[in-house]
Amino acid sequence: MSTPNILMTRIDNRLVHGQVGVTWVNSLNANLIVVANDEASIDPVQQSLMDMVVSDGVQTRYFSLQKTIDVIHKAAEHQKIFIVCKTPQDVLLLVKGGVPINFVNVGNMHFAEGKKQIHKTVSVDEDDIKAFRELEGLGIRCEIRRVPDETGQPVCHLLN
């Protein structure tokens, strides 16, 4: 079993939108976006809206979290994979399931009741903080960076 070529994993509660589908894909030189999200995996409307903003020549797959865990190790060598999740809890689930993620880019986590804003585009609650701390504890760097040419900020520095 070969190790899948995962270029980056991003947390974005909008999943794939223009910035993700074009800017990040191009800067990473990814040719496959894996959206690991239970709802999106069974929602053809959401999938076709996301497909519209993805660069030509880039494939998309919409997998449940469990299916991502089950199939990621079957990825071919030529597949340069960009994983997109909605929450740090989802990323943690993938990691615990054996998906070899060593770096997480945090894009958007919208403000909601019970969350506190730690960055322009990122708000967290206790659950999110716990998941980020656990990821960091596993040696997985998590940094907030909306676009590729922005300087990333480590999440752990903003949690305190």
Side-chain angles (χ1 to χ4, degrees):
M1 216 162 41
S2 63
T3 301
N5 185 6
I6 298 171
L7 306 174
M8 191 168 92
T9 301
R10 178 174 171 96
I11 294 172
D12 195 319
N13 58 300
R14 294 182 295 176
L15 295 173
V16 177
H17 48 90
Q19 214 174 53
V20 172
V22 178
T23 318
W24 278 107
V25 164
N26 293 348
S27 90
L28 290 168
N29 203 12
N31 57 21
L32 174 62
I33 298 175
V34 173
V35 175
N37 180 265
D38 293 351
E39 288 85 36
S41 71
I42 53 173
D43 184 347
V45 174
Q46 212 181 340
Q47 292 175 19
S48 59
L49 288 171
M50 289 192 244
D51 284 345
M52 283 197 286
V53 298
V54 173
S55 298
D56 287 345
V58 177
Q59 293 189 308
T60 49
R61 295 284 182 279
Y62 299 94
F63 293 154
S64 66
L65 295 166
Q66 187 55 52
K67 182 159 186 192
T68 305
I69 290 166
D70 294 342
V71 303
I72 197 76
H73 290 281
K74 298 187 179 103
E77 294 209 1
H78 68 269
Q79 291 179 310
K80 298 182 191 144
I81 307 167
F82 178 22
I83 297 178
V84 183
C85 292
K86 261 191 178 174
T87 68
Q89 293 85 340
D90 289 354
V91 174
L92 187 58
L93 197 80
L94 294 180
V95 169
K96 288 181 169 173
V99 180
I101 292 170
N102 49 29
F103 172 75
V104 178
N105 160 258
V106 184
N108 296 290
M109 289 175 65
H110 288 333
F111 182 79
E113 193 63 43
K115 295 198 173 213
K116 63 172 186 180
Q117 193 174 7
I118 59 167
H119 185 273
K120 272 189 287 238
T121 58
V122 179
S123 296
V124 295
D125 60 20
E126 286 308 313
D127 251 13
D128 300 326
I129 293 170
K130 214 174 97 195
F132 278 126
R133 290 204 196 283
E134 199 167 338
L135 286 165
E136 294 277 352
L138 293 167
I140 298 162
R141 254 180 350 121
C142 301
E143 81 174 19
I144 298 173
R145 197 165 142 210
R146 289 165 304 171
V147 289
D149 54 12
E150 188 174 77
T151 307
Q153 289 189 290
V155 173
C156 59
H157 294 178
L158 302 172
L159 292 179
N160 303 329

